[in-house]
Amino acid sequence: MVSAVCIAFIHGSLRYGRQGILVLFGLCTVVGYGMENLSIATDFPFGFYHYTNLFHLPQIGRVPLRAIASKVVYDQGLKNVVVNA
C-alpha cells in the first residue's frame, strides 16, 4: 500500500504540481475518513459493516489507515481517468 501511495503522489505531483496533489490527498483523506466513519456510525451510505482489529493494523477511530490510504490511491487514479477522457 505504501508503494501505491508513493506512486500516486509522484505521478500526481508531476501532472498537477506538488501543491495540487497535496490538496487532492488532503481532500481525499478528509472526505474518505468522514464517509467511512459516517457509514460505521449510521449505516449510510455504504450499509452496515465494521472493521475488526484482527491483524492489529493502526486505526484512527474505527477506520484503519489502510482504508484511508486506499481511498487516496483510488481517487488519484479516478481523477486521471476522468481528466484524460
Side-chain angles (χ1 to χ4, degrees):
M1 183 54 66
V2 173
S3 62
V5 171
C6 289
I7 290 169
F9 181 78
I10 291 168
H11 180 265
S13 63
L14 292 174
R15 183 162 178 98
Y16 307 112
R18 181 172 281 168
Q19 184 178 5
I21 198 64
L22 287 175
V23 168
L24 178 66
F25 270 40
L27 287 172
C28 291
T29 300
V30 169
V31 171
Y33 178 72
M35 294 298 286
E36 289 285 337
N37 268 326
L38 178 68
S39 186
I40 290 170
T42 65
D43 301 336
F44 174 81
F46 305 123
F48 176 75
Y49 71 96
H50 68 279
Y51 291 104
T52 64
N53 201 10
L54 180 66
F55 299 111
H56 305 290
L57 298 172
Q59 294 183 328
I60 299 176
R62 293 178 280 177
V63 181
L65 291 177
R66 180 174 221 141
I68 298 168
S70 67
K71 299 247 186 292
V72 170
V73 171
Y74 175 77
D75 291 342
Q76 167 63 18
L78 185 62
K79 182 177 180 188
N80 286 330
V81 169
V82 170
V83 168
N84 293 328

